[in-house]
């Protein structure tokens, strides 16, 4: 079975540009999570969806960040405008539930560098 | 403030020994705690889940304990192998908010 698929794997862009990260969750999973990982702050939850509905976006750092899940098989995380401090690895994960009584399955991330 | 602490220093052990990693938390009341493995350039991979009413969970060479009084979970790998070298993260679920520790890097030397 295919796991969580993220694209692109690497993104390098200049500050001020719009960045869109994409995620395809595992088929049948109804919860989707976006995380950001940095050396300083570790793995932080940005937002999660349950049945395509955003449940908690309190981790989204500021209004420059937005996330959508138009259907059960696709989600995007957008940064506009991007800043150098947004440089990090962004992970998407999916699960059959929005509680940690089920495993979260992670993609291999998008390594984002903002110059 | 709420936080999860994992030893930031790498744990270096000899092959065949038991590795023990610690996850301490404050100001949470997690219903579940999970452990993940992360290899360089990859996403975390789920290993084990333990519930608040469980003291211990085992899976092959892995064992997890959960002490809600001490607010601590221990993760053990017995008969460690060089292939076990990775970063191990704990994660907890506190009233539908999810928090990960920063991870402990394990190096198993042959």
């Amino acid at each position: 079975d295919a796991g969580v698929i993220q694209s692109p794997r690497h993104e390098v862009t200049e500050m001020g540009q719009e960045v869109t990260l994409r995620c395809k969750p595992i088929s049948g999973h109804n919860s989707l999570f976006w995380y950001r990982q940095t050396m300083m702050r570790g793995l932080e939850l940005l937002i999660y969806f349950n049945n395509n509905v955003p449940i908690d976006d309190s981790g989204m750092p500021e209004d420059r960040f937005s996330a959508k899940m138009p259907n059960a098989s696709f989600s995007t995380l957008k940064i506009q405008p991007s800043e150098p401090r947004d440089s990090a690895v962004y992970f998407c994960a999916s699960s059959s539930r929005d509680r940690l009584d089920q495993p979260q399955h992670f993609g291999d991330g998008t390594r984002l560098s903002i110059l | 403030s709420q936080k999860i602490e994992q030893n930031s220093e790498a744990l270096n052990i000899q092959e065949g020994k038991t590795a023990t990693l610690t996850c301490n938390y404050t100001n949470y009341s997690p219903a579940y705690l999970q452990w993940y493995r992360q290899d360089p350039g990859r996403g975390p991979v789920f290993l084990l889940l333990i519930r608040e009413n469980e003291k211990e969970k085992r899976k092959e060479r892995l064992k997890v304990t959960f002490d809600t009084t001490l607010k601590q979970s221990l993760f053990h790998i017995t008969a460690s192998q060089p292939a076990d070298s990775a970063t191990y993260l704990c994660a907890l679920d506190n009233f539908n908010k999810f928090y990960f520790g920063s991870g402990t890097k394990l190096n198993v030397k042959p």
Side-chain angles (χ1 to χ4, degrees):
Chain A
D1 286 342
V4 174
I5 299 172
Q6 292 187 246
S7 64
R9 286 298 313 276
H10 303 274
E11 175 89 9
V12 180
T13 192
E14 294 187 347
M15 67 177 293
Q17 296 297 306
E18 178 179 290
V19 174
T20 300
L21 311 181
R22 296 173 175 80
C23 176
K24 177 179 171 55
I26 292 173
S27 177
H29 282 183
N30 59 4
S31 296
L32 183 139
F33 309 81
W34 281 101
Y35 290 88
R36 178 172 68 176
Q37 189 174 41
T38 61
M39 289 292 292
M40 290 295 295
R41 300 175 66 90
L43 194 62
E44 300 174 287
L45 178 66
L46 300 177
I47 184 171
Y48 75 91
F49 296 82
N50 198 41
N51 293 322
N52 311 338
V53 176
I55 303 299
D56 186 348
D57 65 354
S58 60
M60 296 285 261
E62 48 197 276
D63 291 345
R64 298 184 298 106
F65 286 69
S66 62
K68 293 182 180 179
M69 192 163 186
N71 57 61
S73 58
F74 184 67
S75 177
T76 59
L77 178 68
K78 188 172 292 187
I79 308 173
Q80 167 63 18
S82 57
E83 297 182 3
R85 61 190 167 127
D86 302 330
S87 298
V89 182
Y90 290 81
F91 288 103
C92 174
S94 71
S95 178
S96 57
R97 231 165 82 83
D98 63 347
R99 296 296 306 271
L100 278 189
D101 61 345
Q102 296 297 323
Q104 294 193 6
H105 299 263
F106 284 77
D108 280 335
T110 295
R111 183 173 295 275
L112 179 63
S113 296
I114 308 296
L115 306 177
Chain B
S1 63
Q2 301 171 327
K3 60 180 180 179
I4 303 173
E5 288 187 342
Q6 293 187 256
N7 195 338
S8 58
E9 292 185 9
L11 177 63
N12 299 304
I13 65 168
Q14 206 66 35
E15 181 177 8
K17 301 294 187 183
T18 296
T20 298
L21 287 71
T22 304
C23 177
N24 294 304
Y25 58 93
T26 57
N27 297 330
Y28 294 116
S29 298
Y32 314 100
L33 191 145
Q34 296 184 348
W35 283 88
Y36 287 79
R37 169 185 172 139
Q38 187 174 21
D39 292 286
R42 305 299 299 274
V45 174
F46 171 79
L47 295 175
L48 277 171
L49 157 75
I50 189 164
R51 293 174 167 78
E52 61 177 338
N53 61 351
E54 297 176 317
K55 296 294 185 188
E56 182 179 297
K57 201 77 167 285
R58 292 176 184 260
K59 179 183 176 182
E60 298 173 352
R61 296 185 295 112
L62 309 181
K63 184 178 84 171
V64 172
T65 63
F66 194 11
D67 189 325
T68 55
T69 301
L70 291 178
K71 294 187 180 294
Q72 181 181 78
S73 175
L74 298 178
F75 177 79
H76 307 271
I77 306 175
T78 59
S80 60
Q81 304 166 359
D84 296 325
S85 298
T87 297
Y88 292 85
L89 302 97
C90 64
L92 57 83
D93 173 338
N94 188 59
F95 300 108
N96 275 17
K97 290 195 178 290
F98 311 112
Y99 303 95
F100 276 78
S102 56
T104 297
K105 187 173 182 181
L106 173 66
N107 295 313
V108 181
K109 300 181 186 300

